[in-house]
Amino acid sequence: MCAVVLSGCSVDALIWGNDGAQVIQTTENLTKDLASGETSDLVCEDAEADLGTAKDWEGRSAGEPERFFADYWDEQVPLDPQWNINLEGLPEGATPGDKHAGYVFYRETDDGLCVIDVAWSTLIG
């Protein structure tokens, strides 16, 4: 652990690489923005993503980042994402049948990552 502190690297960068760590940090910032009820400047200008409500983002955190894999995410292919990440945790009071944000999709731009879509999942009991 000392090598991590001394080198200035984050644990996320060691595990996921610098790009993956950036996806994780961006997702943490996104969940914080949206849980506060604010809009986020992390959303792409052309995005039509369903961001839900502030309650949908409370208690959520970044999961594992992955390079976008088109064979699995057909609906997102036209949006040209380069990354996706699952969200961990559930909103307080979530019950079976509730929908929750399951994955966030990011596009790389000259200004960094921006959210191009959010895939919603249904909680199974």
Side-chain angles (χ1 to χ4, degrees):
M1 185 60 94
C2 292
V4 171
V5 173
L6 294 176
S7 72
C9 291
S10 72
V11 173
D12 288 336
L14 288 174
I15 296 170
W16 303 106
N18 289 333
D19 291 341
Q22 181 182 7
V23 173
I24 291 170
Q25 186 58 55
T26 301
T27 304
E28 292 296 342
N29 293 340
L30 176 72
T31 58
K32 181 180 171 188
D33 288 351
L34 297 178
S36 73
E38 300 295 320
T39 58
S40 179
D41 60 358
L42 296 171
V43 178
C44 301
E45 288 182 20
D46 62 334
E48 295 180 14
D50 176 3
L51 300 176
T53 66
K55 185 177 186 274
D56 295 324
W57 296 92
E58 292 173 2
R60 308 308 304 278
S61 62
E64 299 177 356
E66 297 178 316
R67 287 266 178 205
F68 179 73
F69 184 62
D71 288 349
Y72 189 74
W73 298 105
D74 302 5
E75 292 179 29
Q76 285 73 26
V77 170
L79 304 174
D80 191 31
Q82 284 78 47
W83 289 91
N84 58 276
I85 187 168
N86 64 307
L87 295 171
E88 296 181 347
L90 291 172
E92 188 174 323
T95 59
D98 288 351
K99 290 200 175 284
H100 60 91
Y103 288 84
V104 178
F105 297 85
Y106 292 100
R107 182 185 295 155
E108 294 173 341
T109 69
D110 291 339
D111 297 326
L113 297 171
C114 67
V115 176
I116 191 61
D117 200 16
V118 175
W120 291 77
S121 303
T122 301
L123 181 61
I124 299 172

